[in-house]
């Protein structure tokens, strides 16, 4: 990814001290804009969240995500360049039994939209010849997968992807196309001083910027943790995968604001997942036995532990303090507009694997903010409803941030 914009760097207050906590290697003191210390969040991640999240996202319900990999960029004309076949996505060879009823077997264009060798970033027949392990995908009916009923033009182009088969890692996606995506995110999607507010970014705008920065830091750490260290033959294959400490240090570790924003994003998503407990449970179809393990892992293992942590550290994030001013409604509308724009930016990503994970984390961020700040239709004492898609994206985005905190510690230890 590209450099984090000046607006994001300026939005984050400096760390209390340049030193590190002796027990966890993390910065000392509290995370600004949050209600817990760096050490509290590290402890929650190490003792509770990380291992349970890894188990949860490997279960059937939470490991499948619906995405349109053939979406076209409406913001600019692009010529993307991928240098590894790992830009492509290996989609489900056939519908899992639990989504058989969602399969649109007669849908046109149900062949796999795949990435390929350098230059093969479009949904073409040539792209499908990259690897014999990449097989035709299946389309799904949008209204049966997502209760919100997102149908319309292009609905048949959505496919279900097994995230376990498509890990977030280095893909070789670079150059002008990638730089333009990150520039659009940080220069136009993030709030700039004097934009809507006419002055410095307010707390709500600053938080949005910090969340974007934190997710960008997380993406960079995932790339650095699974990096192609040696190309194979042909050149778009990778012969050796491993960690790249130089990339991690250059993109994240040497920037205190980016490190802190990663903790901010983790704290906010952690609070959202705890608050969304009943909504996530309700999104898992009770009638399908294939989801029984997913629901059990969520309700009996992860959620109780997260709630227990929240009781020990009562407020990782105090959402009631935001959007509470007279102009709160207008600010919330602004944030929703930014989220919609971010979703459009993800359509411009010229690497299928990057588009998959960027889209998932964009939806996860949107779901988190919806849970924390959107008034439920049934009144303040009710819970915001989440679609199947939103529940999967929300939990997976927290898992991405959780893993990034682990990677951060690993890279610190190697310095």
């Amino acid at each position: 990814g590209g450099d984090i914009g000046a607006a994001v760097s300026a939005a984050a207050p400096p760390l209390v001290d340049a030193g590190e906590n002796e027990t966890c290697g993390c910065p000392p003191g509290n995370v600004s804009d949050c209600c817990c210390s760096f050490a509290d969040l590290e402890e929650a991640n190490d003792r509770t969240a990380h291992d349970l999240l890894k188990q949860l996202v490997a279960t059937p319900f939470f490991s499948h995500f619906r995405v349109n990999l053939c979406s076209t960029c409406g913001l600019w004309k692009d010529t993307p360049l991928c240098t590894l076949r790992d830009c492509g996505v290996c989609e489900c060879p056939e519908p899992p039994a639990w989504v058989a009823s969602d399969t649109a077997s007669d849908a046109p264009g149900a062949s796999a939209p795949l990435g390929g060798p350098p230059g093969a970033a479009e949904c073409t027949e040539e792209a499908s010849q990259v690897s014999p392990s990449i097989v035709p995908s299946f389309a799904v009916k949008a209204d049966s997968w997502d209760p919100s009923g997102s149908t319309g033009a292009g609905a048949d182009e959505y496919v279900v992807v097994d995230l376990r088969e498509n890990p977030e890692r280095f893909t070789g996606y670079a150059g002008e196309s990638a730089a333009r995506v990150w520039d659009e995110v940080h220069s136009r999607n993030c709030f700039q001083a004097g934009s809507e507010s006419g002055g410095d970014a307010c707390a709500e705008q600053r938080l949005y910027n910090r969340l974007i920065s934190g997710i960008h830091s997380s993406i960079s750490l995932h790339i650095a943790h699974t990096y192609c260290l040696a190309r194979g033959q042909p050149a778009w294959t990778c012969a050796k995968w491993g960690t790249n400490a130089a990339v991690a240090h250059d993109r994240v570790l040497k920037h205190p604001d980016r490190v802190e924003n990663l903790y901010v994003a983790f704290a906010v998503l952690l609070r959202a997942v705890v608050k969304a407990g009943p909504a996530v449970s309700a999104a898992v179809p009770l009638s399908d036995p294939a989801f029984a393990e997913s629901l059990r892992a969520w309700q009996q293992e992860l959620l109780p532990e997260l709630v227990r942590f929240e009781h020990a550290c009562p407020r990782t994030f105090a959402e009631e303090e935001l959007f509470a001013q007279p102009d709160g409604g207008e600010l919330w509308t602004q944030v929703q507009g930014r989220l919609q724009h971010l979703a459009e930016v993800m359509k411009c990503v010229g690497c299928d694997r990057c588009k998959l994970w960027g889209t998932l984390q964009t939806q996860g961020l949107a779901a988190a903010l919806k849970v924390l700040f959107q008034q439920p239709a049934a009144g303040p004492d009710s819970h915001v409803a989440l679609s199947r898609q939103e529940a999967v994206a929300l939990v997976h985005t927290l898992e991405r941030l959780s893993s990034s905190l682990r990677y951060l510690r690993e890279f610190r230890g190697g310095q």
Side-chain angles (χ1 to χ4, degrees), residues 12-360:
L15 299 179
V16 176
D17 191 293
E20 292 187 341
N21 188 297
E22 293 182 359
T23 59
C24 67
C26 55
N30 286 343
V31 182
S32 56
D33 289 336
C34 298
C35 305
C36 274
S37 68
F38 291 95
D40 287 333
L41 293 174
E42 284 280 358
E43 182 177 6
N45 193 43
D46 281 347
R47 294 191 178 184
T48 300
H50 181 265
D51 291 346
L52 291 175
L53 280 167
K54 296 297 287 186
Q55 295 172 24
L56 184 67
V57 298
T59 61
F61 178 84
F62 292 100
S63 61
H64 289 80
F65 185 71
R66 172 180 166 272
V67 64
N68 180 2
L69 296 174
C70 282
S71 58
T72 57
C73 178
L75 300 177
W76 61 78
K77 290 186 177 181
D78 196 21
T79 307
L81 177 64
C82 282
T83 61
L84 282 180
R85 70 178 178 188
D86 294 271
C87 269
V89 168
C90 184
E91 298 156 11
C92 299
E94 59 185 37
W98 50 264
V99 294
S101 61
D102 290 345
T103 304
S105 58
D106 57 345
S111 58
L114 303 169
E122 297 180 354
C123 301
T124 62
E125 186 65 29
E126 290 79 5
S128 67
Q129 303 304 316
V130 173
S131 167
S133 66
I134 298 178
V135 294
S137 65
F138 61 94
V140 296
K141 296 176 181 177
D143 54 351
S144 60
W145 178 265
D146 187 343
S148 64
S150 54
T151 56
D156 289 335
E157 295 178 357
Y158 282 86
V159 294
V160 175
V161 175
D162 188 335
L163 298 168
R164 296 167 296 187
E165 300 297 323
N166 298 278
E168 184 181 20
R169 62 185 181 185
F170 176 80
T171 63
Y173 178 50
E176 183 179 348
S177 175
R180 190 165 188 177
V181 168
W182 284 120
D183 179 67
E184 184 75 15
V185 169
H186 292 298
S187 298
R188 296 175 181 82
N189 186 259
C190 285
F191 289 95
Q192 311 297 316
S195 54
E196 285 89 344
S197 62
D200 293 337
C202 63
E204 292 83 357
Q205 295 171 339
R206 184 176 70 243
L207 175 65
Y208 180 83
N209 289 359
R210 299 191 74 181
L211 291 172
I212 295 296
S213 169
I215 290 175
H216 191 172
S217 295
S218 176
I219 292 171
S220 296
L221 288 170
H222 280 274
I223 290 172
H225 192 264
T226 312
Y227 201 89
C228 182
L229 302 178
R231 297 298 179 99
Q233 291 295 331
W236 59 79
T237 63
C238 183
K240 182 181 180 181
W241 293 93
T243 59
N244 191 323
V247 168
H249 180 78
D250 183 60
R251 297 187 184 182
V252 181
L253 271 70
K254 74 177 184 180
H255 305 278
D257 58 312
R258 301 182 190 183
V259 172
E260 185 170 17
N261 290 339
L262 176 61
Y263 284 93
V264 170
F266 176 74
V268 171
L269 266 291
L270 180 62
R271 170 61 185 150
V273 167
V274 171
K275 190 173 181 179
V280 173
S281 299
V284 183
L286 297 176
S287 59
D288 196 326
F291 292 147
E293 173 60 18
S294 298
L295 192 60
R296 186 200 63 78
W298 167 251
Q299 291 183 324
Q300 299 180 24
E301 295 181 10
L302 179 62
L303 186 58
E305 290 297 325
L306 294 182
V307 171
R308 191 173 296 118
F309 165 73
E310 190 180 44
H311 289 163
C313 178
R315 296 192 305 172
T316 56
F317 177 73
E319 68 273 10
E320 69 275 5
E321 297 179 4
L322 297 179
F323 301 100
Q325 302 301 319
D327 62 347
E330 179 183 351
L331 287 170
W332 177 239
T333 299
Q334 291 177 12
V335 168
Q336 288 181 306
R338 297 302 171 114
L339 290 169
Q340 292 170 4
H341 174 250
L342 187 61
E344 290 300 311
V345 175
M346 291 304 106
K347 295 179 181 179
C348 298
V349 175
C351 154
D352 282 354
R353 183 78 62 96
C354 311
K355 179 182 287 189
L356 166 65
W357 286 104
T359 300
L360 181 145

